[in-house]
Structures are given as structure tokens and as C-alpha cells.
Amino acid sequence: MYDENTAGAGSVRDTPGHPAELPALAPLLAALQLTDSAFPSGFYTLSHGLEGYAQAGAVTPETVPDLLHDLLRHGVGPGDATALVLAHRAARAGEFEAVAAVDRRLFATKLNREVRMASVRTGRQMIDLAAEVFGGRAATAYAGVVARREAPGTQAVAAGVIHAGNAVPVEHAVAADLFAFCAGFAGAALRLRLTDHRRAQVLVRGAAPVIEEVAAAALTREAADLGGHTFGADVMSGRHERAEARLFAT
């Protein structure tokens, strides 16, 4: 039986006149704003390869979750997520040349031109906006590095720098970016009619254990291990780049 006098025992509870002390929310709020689909970085224009698979008839509503999980494990995790972690740590240390080195390496690992261009277009837009929206030394300094073309400005590295500047813990930063990828993928599946609104939410929730797995692995990798391989997705992206009609940039 539920007993309101004992419920929550052992945890911090607020009482009238004595609200529970909350942790600082500024980093969380910054992370939510940066990864929200309304943040105008252009992330919403990407299907993350899904449109290419749909055009080729290589994915069905039933196999959409498997495709998402494979992209996370073999592409985004070893690539973008790992780069975000490395860039976050370097930016926190104020080592922007190290951030630029991660940026250049991530760019080089992206074999497909469409994917490379989408990454730097969204990344440059993100870092440029962040210097104005969030301010702070990290975003401003790295926006200058990218503007001088000393580094390509990939999306994952830009996100890592911005999260670091906003004091978002690296574990939360990489999880937030992976969640944004999944939410964008689900949104694309919805627009491509590979799912409906209810199943899109099931898709995102079903990716949570994979996000945890991929984030944990990304946190242990070093720069020499940076780079994912999704050859099937690269082939689909190459076909998509030459398609006569496209809804998404990738």
C-alpha cells in the first residue's frame, strides 16, 4: 500500500517553505537547447542515410530499428561520438590545436562526399551560432579556428566544444548528441512514411540501450581509434547524392 509518509525515504524531498535543493541546471538547459530540433543548425535537413536506403528499397518499417542500431554501433559511435568526446576533453583543457586535430581526423574518416559536406555545413553553422547564443571562450575561440579554415568544423567536434564551454559533463554531452541523432533519424522515418508518430517514439526509446552502449565505448577510445565504417551506408549515400529528387540533404 502506498504510504505518503514513507514514500521517497532516503531521497531529497521538498516540503512547503523548504524546497529541495536542485543541482545547477544551466549545463542541462544548454544541452537541451543545443540538441533540440528547433536549434537552427540544419540538423533537421539530414536523414542520416535513411532516404538513400528508402530510395533503394533496402529498408522497411520493420527493419528501421535494426538500421538505426547498426549506424549507431558501427558508424556514429566509433566516429562522431568518439570525436565529440575527444574534442570535449581537449576544449575543457583549452587545447584547441588538439580539437582541430580531432576535427581534421574525423573529416578524413568520412568516405562519402555527401556525408562530409553535411557534417561541416551543420558544424560550421552550429559553432557560429553558439558563439552568439551561448558565448564563452570555447565556442568563440573555436569559431575563429573554423572561420580561418584551420579546421573543417565537423558537427560532432563543434558540439563537443560547445558542450565543454557550457560545462556539460562529457558523459551527458555524448549521450545528448546520440539522442539528437536518433530523434533526427526517427523524424526522417516519419517524413519518409516508414513509421507513424507512435512507432517513432517507440523507435527512439528502443535505441536507449544502444545509446548507453555506444556512449560507454566512445568514452574509452583514443584518437588513434577514431573512425567508423558503414560501407553499405556510404553506397546508399553515393546513390542518394545523384538521385533526381531528394527530400533530405543526406
Side-chain angles (χ1 to χ4, degrees):
M1 179 181 294
Y2 175 78
D3 184 348
E4 65 176 9
N5 295 316
T6 58
S11 62
V12 177
R13 299 178 63 195
D14 60 346
T15 56
H18 299 281
E21 184 178 351
L22 291 173
L25 294 179
L28 172 61
L29 294 173
L32 290 173
Q33 183 172 0
L34 183 64
T35 54
D36 189 273
S37 60
F39 194 83
S41 64
F43 214 51
Y44 63 90
T45 67
L46 311 180
S47 79
H48 306 292
L50 184 58
E51 186 172 29
Y53 277 90
Q55 289 172 340
V59 67
T60 67
E62 289 73 28
T63 59
V64 165
D66 291 336
L67 176 59
L68 173 58
H69 299 172
D70 282 349
L71 291 175
L72 287 170
R73 288 189 172 112
H74 306 296
V76 181
D80 293 70
T82 299
L84 185 150
V85 169
L86 295 170
H88 185 289
R89 289 172 176 161
R92 289 288 286 172
E95 299 172 351
F96 292 102
E97 179 48 44
V99 176
V102 173
D103 204 351
R104 290 190 287 268
R105 188 178 182 91
L106 177 62
F107 183 81
T109 66
K110 293 184 179 295
L111 302 181
N112 187 277
R113 187 181 71 163
E114 184 180 73
V115 175
R116 288 198 305 272
M117 293 302 101
S119 180
V120 296
R121 189 178 68 249
T122 54
R124 289 170 184 170
Q125 176 72 358
M126 181 182 287
I127 197 71
D128 182 58
L129 269 169
E132 177 182 350
V133 175
F134 301 110
R137 176 174 176 270
T140 303
Y142 203 66
V145 171
V146 173
R148 294 191 297 274
R149 294 293 191 264
E150 296 171 5
T154 54
Q155 180 273 332
V157 169
V161 171
I162 298 165
H163 282 305
N166 289 324
V168 179
V170 65
E171 298 86 353
H172 295 182
V174 68
D177 211 58
L178 287 166
F179 175 83
F181 178 91
C182 294
F185 187 92
L190 187 62
R191 293 166 68 182
L192 291 167
R193 299 186 178 181
L194 286 167
T195 188
D196 57 30
H197 286 86
R198 295 174 67 95
R199 287 187 296 167
Q201 292 304 312
V202 173
L203 174 66
V204 172
R205 185 57 190 164
V210 184
I211 289 177
E212 289 191 47
E213 170 195 325
V214 167
L219 289 163
T220 65
R221 290 194 186 92
E222 299 180 354
D225 301 319
L226 171 60
H229 302 287
T230 51
F231 299 117
D234 284 331
V235 170
M236 293 303 170
S237 184
R239 292 181 178 178
H240 178 263
E241 185 180 354
R242 293 167 176 77
E244 293 183 1
R246 295 179 295 173
L247 183 60
F248 296 92
T250 65

Coordinates of all heavy atoms in Angstrom, one line a residue, residues 161-238:
V161 N 32.9 21.0 -28.5 CA 33.4 22.2 -28.0 C 32.3 23.0 -27.2 O 32.6 23.6 -26.2 CB 34.0 23.0 -29.1 CG1 34.3 24.5 -28.7 CG2 35.2 22.3 -29.7
I162 N 31.2 23.1 -27.8 CA 30.1 23.9 -27.3 C 29.6 23.3 -25.9 O 29.4 24.0 -24.9 CB 28.9 24.0 -28.2 CG1 29.3 24.7 -29.5 CG2 27.7 24.7 -27.6 CD1 28.3 24.5 -30.7
H163 N 29.5 22.0 -25.9 CA 29.1 21.4 -24.6 C 30.2 21.6 -23.5 O 29.9 21.9 -22.4 CB 28.9 19.8 -24.8 CG 27.6 19.5 -25.5 ND1 26.4 19.8 -25.0 CD2 27.4 18.7 -26.6 CE1 25.4 19.3 -25.7 NE2 26.0 18.7 -26.7
A164 N 31.4 21.5 -23.9 CA 32.5 21.8 -23.0 C 32.4 23.2 -22.4 O 32.6 23.4 -21.2 CB 33.9 21.5 -23.6
G165 N 32.2 24.1 -23.3 CA 32.1 25.5 -22.9 C 30.9 25.8 -22.0 O 31.0 26.7 -21.2
N166 N 29.9 25.0 -22.1 CA 28.7 25.1 -21.2 C 28.8 24.2 -20.0 O 27.8 24.1 -19.3 CB 27.5 24.8 -22.0 CG 27.1 25.9 -23.1 OD1 27.4 27.0 -22.8 ND2 26.6 25.4 -24.2
A167 N 30.0 23.6 -19.8 CA 30.2 22.8 -18.6 C 29.2 21.6 -18.5 O 28.9 21.1 -17.4 CB 30.0 23.6 -17.3
V168 N 28.8 21.1 -19.7 CA 28.1 19.9 -19.8 C 29.0 18.7 -19.6 O 30.0 18.6 -20.3 CB 27.3 19.7 -21.1 CG1 26.5 18.4 -21.2 CG2 26.4 20.9 -21.3
P169 N 28.8 17.8 -18.6 CA 29.7 16.7 -18.4 C 29.8 15.9 -19.7 O 28.8 15.7 -20.5 CB 29.0 15.9 -17.3 CG 28.2 16.9 -16.6 CD 27.7 17.9 -17.6
V170 N 31.0 15.4 -20.0 CA 31.2 14.7 -21.3 C 30.3 13.5 -21.4 O 29.9 13.2 -22.6 CB 32.7 14.3 -21.4 CG1 33.1 13.2 -20.3 CG2 33.0 13.8 -22.8
E171 N 30.0 12.8 -20.4 CA 29.0 11.7 -20.5 C 27.7 12.1 -21.0 O 27.0 11.5 -21.8 CB 28.9 11.0 -19.1 CG 30.2 10.4 -18.6 CD 31.0 11.3 -17.8 OE1 30.6 12.5 -17.8 OE2 32.0 10.9 -17.2
H172 N 27.2 13.3 -20.4 CA 25.9 13.8 -20.8 C 26.0 14.4 -22.2 O 25.0 14.3 -23.0 CB 25.5 14.9 -19.8 CG 25.2 14.4 -18.4 ND1 24.8 15.2 -17.4 CD2 25.4 13.2 -17.9 CE1 24.7 14.5 -16.3 NE2 25.0 13.2 -16.6
A173 N 27.1 15.0 -22.6 CA 27.3 15.6 -23.9 C 27.2 14.5 -25.0 O 26.4 14.7 -26.0 CB 28.6 16.3 -24.0
V174 N 27.9 13.4 -24.8 CA 27.9 12.4 -25.9 C 26.5 11.7 -25.9 O 26.0 11.4 -27.0 CB 29.0 11.4 -25.7 CG1 28.8 10.5 -24.5 CG2 29.2 10.5 -26.9
A175 N 25.9 11.5 -24.8 CA 24.5 10.9 -24.8 C 23.5 11.8 -25.5 O 22.6 11.4 -26.2 CB 24.1 10.6 -23.4
A176 N 23.6 13.1 -25.2 CA 22.7 14.1 -25.8 C 22.8 14.1 -27.3 O 21.8 14.2 -28.0 CB 23.0 15.5 -25.2
D177 N 24.1 14.1 -27.8 CA 24.3 14.1 -29.2 C 23.8 12.9 -29.9 O 23.2 12.9 -31.0 CB 25.8 14.4 -29.5 CG 25.9 15.2 -30.8 OD1 25.4 16.3 -30.9 OD2 26.6 14.6 -31.8
L178 N 24.0 11.7 -29.3 CA 23.5 10.5 -29.8 C 22.0 10.4 -29.8 O 21.3 10.0 -30.7 CB 24.0 9.3 -29.0 CG 25.5 9.0 -29.2 CD1 26.0 8.0 -28.1 CD2 25.7 8.3 -30.6
F179 N 21.4 11.0 -28.8 CA 19.9 11.1 -28.7 C 19.4 12.0 -29.9 O 18.4 11.7 -30.5 CB 19.4 11.7 -27.4 CG 17.9 11.9 -27.3 CD1 17.1 10.8 -27.1 CD2 17.4 13.1 -27.7 CE1 15.7 11.0 -27.1 CE2 16.0 13.3 -27.7 CZ 15.2 12.2 -27.4
A180 N 20.1 13.1 -30.1 CA 19.7 14.0 -31.2 C 19.8 13.3 -32.5 O 18.9 13.5 -33.4 CB 20.6 15.2 -31.2
F181 N 20.8 12.4 -32.7 CA 20.9 11.7 -33.9 C 19.7 10.7 -34.1 O 19.1 10.7 -35.2 CB 22.2 10.8 -33.9 CG 22.4 9.9 -35.1 CD1 23.0 10.4 -36.2 CD2 21.8 8.6 -35.2 CE1 23.2 9.6 -37.4 CE2 22.0 7.8 -36.3 CZ 22.7 8.3 -37.4
C182 N 19.3 10.0 -33.0 CA 18.2 9.1 -33.1 C 16.9 9.9 -33.3 O 16.0 9.4 -34.0 CB 18.1 8.3 -31.8 SG 19.5 7.2 -31.5
A183 N 16.7 11.0 -32.6 CA 15.5 11.8 -32.8 C 15.4 12.3 -34.3 O 14.3 12.2 -34.9 CB 15.4 12.9 -31.8
G184 N 16.5 12.7 -34.8 CA 16.5 13.1 -36.2 C 16.2 12.0 -37.2 O 15.5 12.2 -38.2
F185 N 16.8 10.8 -36.9 CA 16.5 9.7 -37.7 C 15.1 9.3 -37.7 O 14.5 9.0 -38.7 CB 17.4 8.5 -37.2 CG 17.4 7.3 -38.0 CD1 18.4 7.1 -39.0 CD2 16.5 6.3 -37.8 CE1 18.4 5.9 -39.7 CE2 16.5 5.1 -38.5 CZ 17.4 4.9 -39.5
A186 N 14.5 9.3 -36.4 CA 13.1 9.0 -36.3 C 12.2 10.0 -37.0 O 11.2 9.6 -37.7 CB 12.7 8.9 -34.8
G187 N 12.6 11.3 -37.0 CA 11.8 12.3 -37.7 C 11.9 12.1 -39.2 O 10.9 12.2 -39.9
A188 N 13.0 11.6 -39.7 CA 13.2 11.4 -41.1 C 12.3 10.1 -41.5 O 11.7 10.1 -42.5 CB 14.6 11.1 -41.4
A189 N 12.3 9.1 -40.6 CA 11.5 7.9 -40.9 C 10.0 8.3 -41.0 O 9.3 7.8 -41.8 CB 11.7 6.9 -39.8
L190 N 9.6 9.3 -40.1 CA 8.2 9.7 -40.2 C 7.9 10.4 -41.5 O 6.9 10.2 -42.1 CB 8.0 10.6 -39.0 CG 6.6 11.1 -38.7 CD1 5.7 10.0 -38.4 CD2 6.6 12.1 -37.5
R191 N 8.8 11.3 -41.9 CA 8.6 12.1 -43.1 C 8.6 11.2 -44.4 O 8.0 11.5 -45.4 CB 9.6 13.2 -43.2 CG 9.3 14.3 -42.1 CD 10.5 15.3 -42.0 NE 10.6 16.1 -43.2 CZ 11.6 17.0 -43.3 NH1 12.5 17.2 -42.3 NH2 11.6 17.8 -44.4
L192 N 9.4 10.1 -44.3 CA 9.5 9.1 -45.4 C 8.4 8.1 -45.3 O 8.4 7.1 -46.1 CB 10.9 8.5 -45.4 CG 12.1 9.4 -45.7 CD1 13.4 8.7 -45.4 CD2 12.0 9.8 -47.2
R193 N 7.6 8.2 -44.3 CA 6.4 7.3 -44.2 C 6.9 5.8 -43.9 O 6.2 4.9 -44.3 CB 5.5 7.3 -45.4 CG 4.9 8.7 -45.6 CD 3.9 8.7 -46.7 NE 3.3 10.1 -46.9 CZ 2.3 10.4 -47.7 NH1 1.8 9.4 -48.5 NH2 1.8 11.6 -47.8
L194 N 8.0 5.7 -43.2 CA 8.5 4.4 -42.7 C 8.0 4.1 -41.3 O 8.3 3.1 -40.8 CB 10.0 4.4 -42.8 CG 10.6 4.3 -44.2 CD1 12.1 4.5 -44.2 CD2 10.3 2.9 -44.8
T195 N 7.3 5.1 -40.7 CA 6.8 4.9 -39.4 C 5.6 5.9 -39.2 O 5.4 6.7 -40.0 CB 7.9 5.1 -38.3 OG1 7.4 4.7 -37.0 CG2 8.3 6.5 -38.3
D196 N 5.0 5.8 -38.0 CA 4.0 6.8 -37.7 C 4.4 7.5 -36.4 O 5.5 7.1 -35.8 CB 2.6 6.2 -37.5 CG 2.5 5.1 -36.5 OD1 3.3 5.1 -35.6 OD2 1.7 4.2 -36.7
H197 N 3.7 8.4 -35.9 CA 4.1 9.2 -34.7 C 4.3 8.3 -33.5 O 5.3 8.5 -32.7 CB 3.1 10.3 -34.4 CG 3.2 11.4 -35.3 ND1 2.5 11.5 -36.5 CD2 3.9 12.6 -35.3 CE1 2.7 12.6 -37.1 NE2 3.6 13.3 -36.4
R198 N 3.5 7.3 -33.3 CA 3.6 6.5 -32.1 C 4.8 5.5 -32.2 O 5.6 5.4 -31.3 CB 2.3 5.6 -31.9 CG 1.1 6.4 -31.6 CD -0.2 5.6 -31.6 NE -0.2 4.6 -30.5 CZ -0.8 4.9 -29.3 NH1 -1.4 6.0 -29.1 NH2 -0.8 4.0 -28.4
R199 N 5.0 4.9 -33.3 CA 6.1 4.0 -33.5 C 7.4 4.7 -33.6 O 8.5 4.2 -33.2 CB 5.9 3.1 -34.8 CG 4.8 2.1 -34.6 CD 4.8 1.2 -35.8 NE 4.4 1.9 -37.0 CZ 4.5 1.4 -38.2 NH1 5.0 0.2 -38.4 NH2 4.2 2.1 -39.3
A200 N 7.4 6.0 -34.0 CA 8.6 6.8 -34.0 C 9.1 7.0 -32.5 O 10.3 6.9 -32.3 CB 8.4 8.2 -34.6
Q201 N 8.2 7.2 -31.6 CA 8.6 7.3 -30.2 C 9.1 5.9 -29.7 O 10.1 5.9 -28.9 CB 7.4 7.8 -29.3 CG 7.0 9.2 -29.6 CD 8.2 10.2 -29.5 OE1 8.9 10.1 -28.5 NE2 8.4 11.0 -30.5
V202 N 8.5 4.8 -30.1 CA 9.0 3.5 -29.7 C 10.4 3.3 -30.3 O 11.3 2.7 -29.6 CB 8.0 2.4 -30.2 CG1 8.6 1.0 -30.0 CG2 6.7 2.6 -29.6
L203 N 10.6 3.8 -31.5 CA 11.9 3.7 -32.1 C 13.0 4.4 -31.3 O 14.1 3.8 -31.1 CB 11.9 4.2 -33.6 CG 13.2 4.4 -34.3 CD1 13.8 3.0 -34.6 CD2 13.0 5.1 -35.6
V204 N 12.7 5.6 -30.9 CA 13.7 6.4 -30.1 C 13.9 5.7 -28.8 O 15.1 5.6 -28.3 CB 13.2 7.8 -29.9 CG1 14.1 8.6 -29.0 CG2 13.1 8.6 -31.3
R205 N 12.8 5.3 -28.1 CA 13.0 4.7 -26.8 C 13.8 3.4 -26.9 O 14.6 3.0 -26.0 CB 11.6 4.5 -26.2 CG 11.7 3.9 -24.7 CD 12.5 4.9 -23.8 NE 12.8 4.3 -22.6 CZ 13.8 4.7 -21.7 NH1 14.5 5.8 -22.1 NH2 14.0 4.2 -20.6
G206 N 13.5 2.6 -28.0 CA 14.2 1.4 -28.2 C 15.7 1.5 -28.4 O 16.5 0.6 -28.2
A207 N 16.1 2.7 -28.8 CA 17.5 3.0 -29.1 C 18.3 3.3 -27.8 O 19.5 3.4 -27.8 CB 17.7 4.1 -30.1
A208 N 17.6 3.5 -26.7 CA 18.2 4.0 -25.5 C 19.3 3.0 -25.0 O 20.4 3.5 -24.7 CB 17.2 4.2 -24.4
P209 N 19.1 1.7 -24.9 CA 20.2 0.8 -24.5 C 21.4 0.9 -25.5 O 22.5 0.8 -25.0 CB 19.5 -0.6 -24.5 CG 18.1 -0.3 -24.4 CD 17.8 1.0 -25.2
V210 N 21.1 1.1 -26.7 CA 22.2 1.2 -27.7 C 23.0 2.5 -27.5 O 24.2 2.5 -27.6 CB 21.7 1.0 -29.2 CG1 22.9 1.0 -30.2 CG2 20.9 -0.2 -29.3
I211 N 22.3 3.5 -27.2 CA 22.9 4.8 -26.9 C 23.9 4.6 -25.7 O 25.0 5.1 -25.7 CB 21.9 5.9 -26.6 CG1 21.2 6.3 -27.9 CG2 22.6 7.1 -26.0 CD1 20.1 7.3 -27.8
E212 N 23.4 4.0 -24.7 CA 24.2 3.8 -23.5 C 25.5 3.0 -23.9 O 26.6 3.3 -23.4 CB 23.4 3.0 -22.4 CG 22.4 3.9 -21.8 CD 21.8 3.2 -20.5 OE1 22.6 2.7 -19.7 OE2 20.6 3.1 -20.4
E213 N 25.3 1.9 -24.7 CA 26.4 1.0 -25.1 C 27.4 1.8 -25.9 O 28.6 1.8 -25.7 CB 25.8 -0.1 -25.9 CG 26.9 -1.0 -26.6 CD 26.2 -1.9 -27.6 OE1 25.1 -2.3 -27.4 OE2 26.8 -2.1 -28.7
V214 N 26.9 2.6 -26.9 CA 27.8 3.3 -27.8 C 28.5 4.5 -27.0 O 29.7 4.7 -27.3 CB 26.9 3.9 -28.9 CG1 27.7 4.9 -29.8 CG2 26.5 2.7 -29.8
A215 N 27.8 5.1 -26.2 CA 28.4 6.2 -25.4 C 29.5 5.7 -24.5 O 30.6 6.3 -24.4 CB 27.4 7.0 -24.6
A216 N 29.3 4.6 -23.8 CA 30.3 4.0 -23.0 C 31.6 3.6 -23.7 O 32.7 3.9 -23.3 CB 29.7 2.8 -22.3
A217 N 31.4 3.1 -24.9 CA 32.5 2.7 -25.8 C 33.3 4.0 -26.2 O 34.5 4.0 -26.2 CB 32.1 1.9 -27.0
A218 N 32.5 5.0 -26.6 CA 33.2 6.2 -27.1 C 34.0 6.9 -26.0 O 35.1 7.5 -26.3 CB 32.1 7.2 -27.6
L219 N 33.6 6.8 -24.8 CA 34.3 7.4 -23.7 C 35.7 6.7 -23.4 O 36.5 7.2 -22.7 CB 33.5 7.3 -22.4 CG 32.3 8.3 -22.4 CD1 31.3 7.9 -21.4 CD2 32.8 9.7 -22.2
T220 N 35.9 5.5 -24.0 CA 37.1 4.8 -23.7 C 38.1 4.8 -24.9 O 39.3 4.4 -24.7 CB 36.9 3.3 -23.4 OG1 36.3 2.7 -24.6 CG2 35.9 3.1 -22.3
R221 N 37.7 5.4 -26.0 CA 38.6 5.3 -27.2 C 39.6 6.5 -27.2 O 39.3 7.6 -26.7 CB 37.7 5.4 -28.5 CG 36.9 4.2 -28.8 CD 36.4 4.2 -30.2 NE 35.5 3.1 -30.4 CZ 34.2 3.1 -30.3 NH1 33.6 4.3 -29.9 NH2 33.5 2.0 -30.5
E222 N 40.7 6.2 -27.8 CA 41.7 7.3 -28.0 C 41.6 7.8 -29.5 O 41.0 7.2 -30.3 CB 43.1 6.7 -27.7 CG 43.2 6.3 -26.2 CD 44.5 5.7 -25.9 OE1 45.4 5.6 -26.8 OE2 44.7 5.4 -24.7
A223 N 42.4 8.8 -29.8 CA 42.4 9.4 -31.1 C 42.7 8.4 -32.2 O 42.1 8.4 -33.3 CB 43.3 10.6 -31.2
A224 N 43.6 7.5 -31.9 CA 44.0 6.5 -32.9 C 42.9 5.6 -33.3 O 42.9 4.9 -34.4 CB 45.2 5.7 -32.4
D225 N 41.9 5.4 -32.4 CA 40.8 4.5 -32.7 C 39.6 5.3 -33.3 O 38.5 4.6 -33.5 CB 40.3 3.9 -31.4 CG 41.4 3.1 -30.7 OD1 42.2 2.4 -31.4 OD2 41.6 3.2 -29.5
L226 N 39.7 6.5 -33.6 CA 38.6 7.3 -34.2 C 38.3 6.9 -35.6 O 39.2 6.9 -36.5 CB 39.0 8.8 -34.1 CG 38.1 9.8 -34.9 CD1 36.7 9.7 -34.3 CD2 38.6 11.2 -34.8
G227 N 37.1 6.6 -35.9 CA 36.6 6.3 -37.2 C 35.7 5.1 -37.3 O 36.1 4.0 -36.8
G228 N 34.6 5.3 -37.9 CA 33.6 4.1 -38.1 C 33.6 3.7 -39.5 O 34.1 4.4 -40.4
H229 N 33.0 2.5 -39.8 CA 33.0 2.0 -41.1 C 31.5 1.5 -41.4 O 31.1 0.5 -40.7 CB 34.0 0.9 -41.3 CG 35.4 1.3 -41.1 ND1 36.1 2.1 -41.9 CD2 36.2 1.1 -40.0 CE1 37.3 2.4 -41.5 NE2 37.4 1.8 -40.3
T230 N 30.8 2.1 -42.3 CA 29.5 1.7 -42.7 C 29.4 1.7 -44.2 O 28.9 2.7 -44.8 CB 28.4 2.6 -42.1 OG1 28.8 4.0 -42.4 CG2 28.3 2.4 -40.6
F231 N 30.0 0.7 -44.8 CA 30.2 0.8 -46.3 C 28.8 0.7 -47.0 O 28.7 1.4 -48.0 CB 31.0 -0.4 -46.7 CG 32.4 -0.4 -46.1 CD1 32.8 -1.4 -45.3 CD2 33.3 0.6 -46.4 CE1 34.1 -1.4 -44.7 CE2 34.6 0.7 -45.8 CZ 35.0 -0.3 -45.0
G232 N 27.9 0.0 -46.5 CA 26.5 0.0 -47.1 C 25.9 1.4 -47.1 O 25.3 1.8 -48.1
A233 N 26.1 2.1 -46.0 CA 25.5 3.4 -45.9 C 26.2 4.4 -46.8 O 25.6 5.3 -47.4 CB 25.6 3.9 -44.4
D234 N 27.5 4.2 -47.0 CA 28.3 5.0 -48.0 C 27.8 4.8 -49.4 O 27.7 5.7 -50.2 CB 29.8 4.7 -47.9 CG 30.4 5.3 -46.6 OD1 29.9 6.4 -46.2 OD2 31.4 4.8 -46.1
V235 N 27.5 3.5 -49.7 CA 27.0 3.2 -51.1 C 25.6 3.9 -51.3 O 25.4 4.5 -52.3 CB 26.9 1.7 -51.3 CG1 26.1 1.4 -52.6 CG2 28.3 1.1 -51.3
M236 N 24.8 3.8 -50.3 CA 23.4 4.4 -50.3 C 23.5 5.9 -50.4 O 22.8 6.5 -51.1 CB 22.6 4.0 -49.1 CG 22.2 2.5 -49.1 SD 21.4 1.9 -50.6 CE 21.4 0.2 -50.3
S237 N 24.5 6.5 -49.7 CA 24.6 7.9 -49.7 C 25.1 8.4 -51.1 O 24.7 9.4 -51.6 CB 25.6 8.3 -48.6 OG 25.7 9.7 -48.6
G238 N 26.0 7.6 -51.7 CA 26.5 7.9 -53.0 C 25.4 7.9 -54.1 O 25.3 8.8 -54.9

